[in-house]
Amino acid sequence: MRLTITSSLYLSLLLEQAAALPSNQARQDAGIQSVNLMFSGDCKRQSDIIAAWDDAIKLVTSLPKIDFNDVAAIDFFGPPALNKDYQSKIQAVFDSAKTFGQGWKVTPAPWKVRINVGCGANVDRELDSRCKAKGPGLKAYTWNTKNSDGTGNKRYEDKSATMNMYMCNSFFAYKSLADRIDEYKDDSDYKHKYNMQYYYNRAYVILH
């Protein structure tokens, strides 16, 4: 129990720190790894998805260099002796994620990584049915295609592939990062305040 409470406290402090960052701090400068979210015409909740993406970048940006001997890291990644051969790769994943902000609006689109984004039942009834078929736990999923408009082979794994992301209707049932923190940070019940399961939010879904 002590390990869980300690690591959860550490993570909750990171969450609160991330939520306090101004929005422009989450956006990265123009770079080859900044992203261009291209929404389908029927996706009417673009602002919610954009905010969730920015919050996801806030989370990874607020993370320091991982100390694999830290109690929170051990709780999350396991004992250092068991992951020592993978620590550099784990760190690289977080470092890479930090670069995937949406970039400045003036950044030319060819300099960004295109991600096609869809949402809602009217976007593609087949896709929305797929969300429901996979159960209520599915919030979003991705697939790669050969063509930049999302058509073509949907299991295309070449490095030139275009990423497609579909936000299920259940994604929007989650609250934003800031709203979720405000809900529990002053909770008198420590089982809620320091339990990260209560802090699940849209940014968590994006990162997951």
Side-chain angles (χ1 to χ4, degrees), residues 109-131:
W111 292 7
K112 297 182 177 184
V113 174
R114 173 172 174 148
I115 299 179
N116 298 317
V117 185
C119 70
N122 293 328
V123 175
D124 187 323
R125 293 188 182 280
E126 177 190 351
L127 291 177
D128 200 57
S129 296
R130 206 175 298 166
C131 283

Side-chain angles (χ1 to χ4, degrees), residues 81-173:
L82 298 182
N83 61 40
K84 63 180 181 179
D85 293 334
Y86 308 101
Q87 290 178 5
S88 62
K89 292 182 179 180
I90 294 172
Q91 183 68 57
V93 169
F94 283 90
D95 291 343
S96 178
K98 294 175 184 179
T99 71
F100 275 75
Q102 295 181 67
W104 302 106
K105 291 183 179 180
V106 296
T107 306
W111 292 7
K112 297 182 177 184
V113 174
R114 173 172 174 148
I115 299 179
N116 298 317
V117 185
C119 70
N122 293 328
V123 175
D124 187 323
R125 293 188 182 280
E126 177 190 351
L127 291 177
D128 200 57
S129 296
R130 206 175 298 166
C131 283
K132 295 176 182 178
K134 292 184 178 182
L138 186 65
K139 305 298 185 294
Y141 59 93
T142 66
W143 69 97
N144 295 332
T145 55
K146 181 176 182 178
N147 301 327
S148 62
D149 63 357
T151 61
N153 187 345
K154 292 191 174 183
R155 293 187 177 181
Y156 192 67
E157 299 301 331
D158 188 82
K159 64 180 181 180
S160 64
T162 296
M163 176 180 169
N164 302 270
M165 179 169 64
Y166 186 78
M167 318 309 296
C168 301
N169 290 328
S170 53
F171 167 81
F172 301 101

Side-chain angles (χ1 to χ4, degrees), residues 57-74:
I57 301 301
K58 285 182 182 181
L59 283 174
V60 292
T61 301
S62 69
L63 288 171
K65 183 176 176 61
I66 300 172
D67 178 0
F68 289 92
N69 294 306
D70 183 89
V71 63
I74 294 174

